């Protein structure tokens, strides 16, 4: 049985964050879990994660959600650094 989860994120930086996640969607371990990133609009993107079992789904979601968090934190850090260096 294949399990799946879909998360939609709203942020002004949707395109940049999604672009930072694209390499991860290309490197999914086939047969166990797989994730895809899709830009929905200028301000939203979606992550679709599939896995063969619930344990793999949980592990994949932990990874994907952490990657989104880190990407968002880096966007905020670079924005702050950009304001400081002007």
């Amino acid at each position: 049985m294949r399990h799946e989860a879909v998360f939609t994120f709203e942020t002004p930086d949707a395109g940049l964050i999604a672009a930072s996640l694209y390499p991860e969607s290309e490197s999914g371990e086939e047969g166990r879990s797989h994730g895809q990133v899709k830009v929905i609009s200028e301000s939203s993107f979606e992550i679709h994660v599939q896995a063969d079992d619930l344990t793999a789904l949980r592990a994949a979601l932990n990874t994907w959600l952490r990657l989104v968090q880190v990407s968002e934190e880096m966007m905020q850090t670079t924005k702050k650094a950009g304001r400081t260096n002007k």
Side-chain angles (χ1 to χ4, degrees):
M1 178 180 195
R2 197 87 167 138
H3 301 280
E4 61 185 303
V6 178
F7 287 86
T8 303
F9 299 89
E10 297 282 334
T11 173
D13 302 314
L16 291 171
I17 292 173
S20 75
L21 299 174
Y22 283 137
E24 294 301 321
S25 64
E26 296 172 358
S27 65
E29 183 181 322
E30 278 302 318
R32 186 109 170 106
S33 67
H34 182 72
Q36 294 180 323
V37 179
K38 179 180 176 184
V39 175
I40 305 298
S41 70
E42 286 184 18
S43 62
S44 66
F45 68 97
E46 180 178 278
I47 295 176
H48 184 228
V49 179
Q50 296 180 338
D52 289 340
D53 57 66
L54 290 176
T55 302
L57 181 63
R58 180 200 48 78
L61 289 175
N62 283 340
T63 298
W64 279 97
L65 295 174
R66 180 67 177 137
L67 290 171
V68 171
Q69 180 182 12
V70 169
S71 295
E72 177 65 26
E73 289 171 357
M74 291 301 98
M75 291 298 302
Q76 297 305 316
T77 299
T78 56
K79 285 180 182 179
K80 288 178 186 176
R83 287 191 297 253
T84 304
N85 292 332
K86 288 183 179 181

